[in-house]
Amino acid sequence: MTADVNHMLGRADWLNTPGIQAVFSALELEGDQARVVGGAVRNTLLGHPVPDIDIATTARPETVMQRALDAGLKPVGTGIDHGTVTVISRGVPYEVTTLRQDVETFGRQAKVVFGRDWVRDAERRDFTLNALYSDRRGHLFDPLGGLADCLARRVRFIGDPDSRIREDYLRILRFFRIYAAYGEGDIDAAGRDACLRQRDGLRHLSGERIGHEMRRLLRAPLAAAALRMMNDSGLWEIATGGLARIEDYCALRGLAPFAPDVSDPELGLVVLGGFVREDLERICDRLRLSNAERNRMRTAWAAMKFLRQSADPTAPPPDARDMIYEFGRQGAVDGLLAHWAFRKAQGTPPPEDDWRELLERVRQAPLPAFPVKGADLIAAGHAPGPALGELLQKLETEWRASKFTLSKVDLVLRAGSSG
Ligand code: ATP
Ligand code: MG
């Protein structure tokens, strides 16, 4: 098995680039060693894309800086106090971290001591499948027997789960996130129970850290299953301060064949936690979401509410162009999906074929643009002033009522020649 794994790693695209090989050559001087660790190795073995590469090394952070400079690479020392130097090689950043052994931990603040012991470095990582290393030729180093867990997609804590969680409560969220992203089968019961027992520790985490893991969890394929477990064990409420509409969220993820948007964290958070506007705002604050994320969520929420209010099952489906004119294309898509999920979870789903078509129209239809400007009315003899604004609004309403068919000429004629 190890021979196959070495072969797989040895052929990985990311390992066979002059860029990463230059980093290895720079680091592996005077008896120092370097190995790729964590996500890059795990993802390669599981056939997932490798978005970023972490390298562990025996070389000290200042030495890493110096050697990178000497090799003509670009070191950035932003995390140097924790032992991490970002080395940019051929435009690609590599996070290079000196082997560590934690002597003492206080929640997230670990007092870091640098070391040269690869097994100790592995032992302070979170899960066995994250403690796999590859050297520059793709040779696997597996000090804790994580390979079998990785290939079986089992997420298991390294060491005693309760004590590992107490060192860093973020590991609770990482446990569910890594399971949702890479796991298969039942979640590891010992890990789950420890998360449950230690749940109060989540209160010590900053909103940024919770938000970062939550976003990644929501993008993962098994997000619905993981969130259901988190909700059943009270973790969601502690992490976000509110209730999760888990059935709605499961229904949303069930719409994946029609809409990749269902794994967008913003839409997921609206469906899960944003049934009323106050809850939505609290989640945004709590998870320290960006303005762009908040705006998307608020628009999605407004579109969802609009559909919920007009949800007479006998009424015709909403008009696609009206939806995109009011909420923008993404807002309309989000609103439709959120409302569709809500109705599915209620046991009153809208007709699937009609809604798939509607979704398609919302994605394709040209964005309507109101054709009349104030200047057009002035040119037709209307006086500038507040009355002109009102007239424009009235014309816009008529134009919308005509399903955006009235032309500029039609509308200017309707306005008459004087206000
Ligand atoms: P991905 O980048 O896909 O999220 P990853 O495993 O690379 O996955 P990172 O957050 O980049 O995740 O962390 C890199 C490695 O550092 C992990 O694989 C793990 O070995 C270790 N690690 C990260 N966070 C923790 C933590 N809170 N506690 C212990 N080890 C951690
Ligand atoms: Mg990573």
Side-chain angles (χ1 to χ4, degrees), residues 224-286:
L227 285 161
R228 187 188 286 285
M229 286 185 271
M230 290 177 71
N231 193 45
D232 290 348
S233 44
L235 293 167
W236 170 271
E237 192 179 346
I238 299 174
T240 68
L243 299 174
R245 293 184 63 91
I246 199 74
E247 300 307 333
D248 293 21
Y249 186 69
C250 290
L252 177 75
R253 297 297 296 234
L255 298 173
F258 321 130
D261 319 60
V262 300
S263 48
D264 290 355
E266 298 91 337
L267 175 57
L269 287 172
V270 170
V271 169
L272 271 165
F275 199 66
V276 293
R277 181 69 192 250
E278 291 73 10
D279 278 354
L280 188 77
E281 293 299 327
R282 200 204 48 257
I283 286 192
C284 290
D285 291 341
R286 191 85 169 220

Side-chain angles (χ1 to χ4, degrees), residues 62-323:
E62 321 77 61
T63 313
V64 172
M65 294 284 288
Q66 189 56 51
R67 288 186 185 158
L69 283 173
D70 293 347
L73 308 177
K74 188 171 176 238
V76 186
T78 29
I80 196 160
D81 291 348
H82 318 103
T84 303
V85 175
T86 305
V87 176
I88 300 170
S89 178
R90 304 236 177 168
V92 177
Y94 298 90
E95 298 273 298
V96 179
T97 304
T98 304
L99 298 196
R100 289 183 279 201
Q101 45 202 61
D102 295 338
V103 258
E104 278 178 83
T105 46
F106 314 95
R108 74 170 289 208
Q109 247 103 40
K111 186 169 168 230
V112 175
V113 171
F114 300 124
R116 298 188 66 85
D117 184 336
W118 287 92
V119 180
R120 303 265 318 253
D121 183 77
E123 283 167 349
R124 53 169 295 288
R125 296 180 181 275
D126 45 12
F127 311 112
T128 55
L129 84 174
N130 281 349
L132 297 171
Y133 302 74
S134 164
D135 72 10
R136 67 185 299 173
R137 280 175 296 278
H139 209 93
L140 180 78
F141 176 62
D142 176 16
L144 306 179
L147 177 62
D149 282 342
C150 181
L151 296 178
R153 297 172 175 270
R154 273 193 304 262
V155 183
R156 290 199 305 138
F157 279 96
I158 293 168
D160 169 55
D162 287 88
S163 17
R164 298 310 312 285
I165 294 170
R166 280 196 298 269
E167 290 167 8
D168 179 1
Y169 289 101
L170 192 72
R171 290 176 188 157
I172 294 179
L173 300 181
R174 285 182 62 87
F175 176 71
F176 288 100
R177 193 264 285 184
I178 302 268
Y179 168 75
Y182 308 106
E184 206 175 83
D186 289 341
I187 203 161
D188 175 61
R192 181 205 54 208
D193 292 352
C195 290
L196 213 148
R197 279 192 292 273
Q198 301 298 333
R199 64 182 178 276
D200 270 328
L202 280 179
R203 299 183 203 281
H204 304 303
L205 294 177
S206 71
E208 282 83 1
R209 295 186 91 206
I210 298 180
H212 180 74
E213 285 298 327
M214 280 297 184
R215 281 185 195 89
R216 304 177 84 179
L217 169 58
L218 287 158
R219 287 199 189 93
L222 297 186
L227 285 161
R228 187 188 286 285
M229 286 185 271
M230 290 177 71
N231 193 45
D232 290 348
S233 44
L235 293 167
W236 170 271
E237 192 179 346
I238 299 174
T240 68
L243 299 174
R245 293 184 63 91
I246 199 74
E247 300 307 333
D248 293 21
Y249 186 69
C250 290
L252 177 75
R253 297 297 296 234
L255 298 173
F258 321 130
D261 319 60
V262 300
S263 48
D264 290 355
E266 298 91 337
L267 175 57
L269 287 172
V270 170
V271 169
L272 271 165
F275 199 66
V276 293
R277 181 69 192 250
E278 291 73 10
D279 278 354
L280 188 77
E281 293 299 327
R282 200 204 48 257
I283 286 192
C284 290
D285 291 341
R286 191 85 169 220
L287 304 186
R288 310 276 198 283
L289 301 186
S290 69
N291 284 336
E293 289 168 322
R294 284 169 198 246
N295 289 339
R296 176 164 171 196
M297 286 169 66
R298 287 178 184 138
T299 312
W301 186 86
M304 174 177 84
K305 182 141 187 284
F306 166 80
L307 292 168
R308 216 193 297 157
Q309 276 170 348
S310 54
D312 170 0
T314 57
D319 180 73
R321 296 194 75 198
D322 218 30
M323 288 285 294

Side-chain angles (χ1 to χ4, degrees), residues 316-391:
D319 180 73
R321 296 194 75 198
D322 218 30
M323 288 285 294
I324 54 179
Y325 188 68
E326 186 69 33
F327 303 109
R329 204 181 296 283
Q330 186 66 61
V333 168
D334 287 346
L336 283 174
L337 291 170
H339 186 63
W340 192 348
F342 168 70
R343 289 197 39 194
K344 262 177 72 184
Q346 295 291 303
T348 54
E352 184 175 302
D353 288 347
D354 291 359
W355 274 58
R356 282 176 67 171
E357 242 172 67
L358 177 61
L359 197 61
E360 214 39 49
R361 280 203 301 279
V362 164
R363 288 196 198 281
Q364 309 283 335
L367 205 59
F370 182 49
V372 183
K373 304 267 174 304
D376 300 320
L377 296 179
I378 293 168
H382 296 268
L388 193 74
E390 281 166 31
L391 181 56

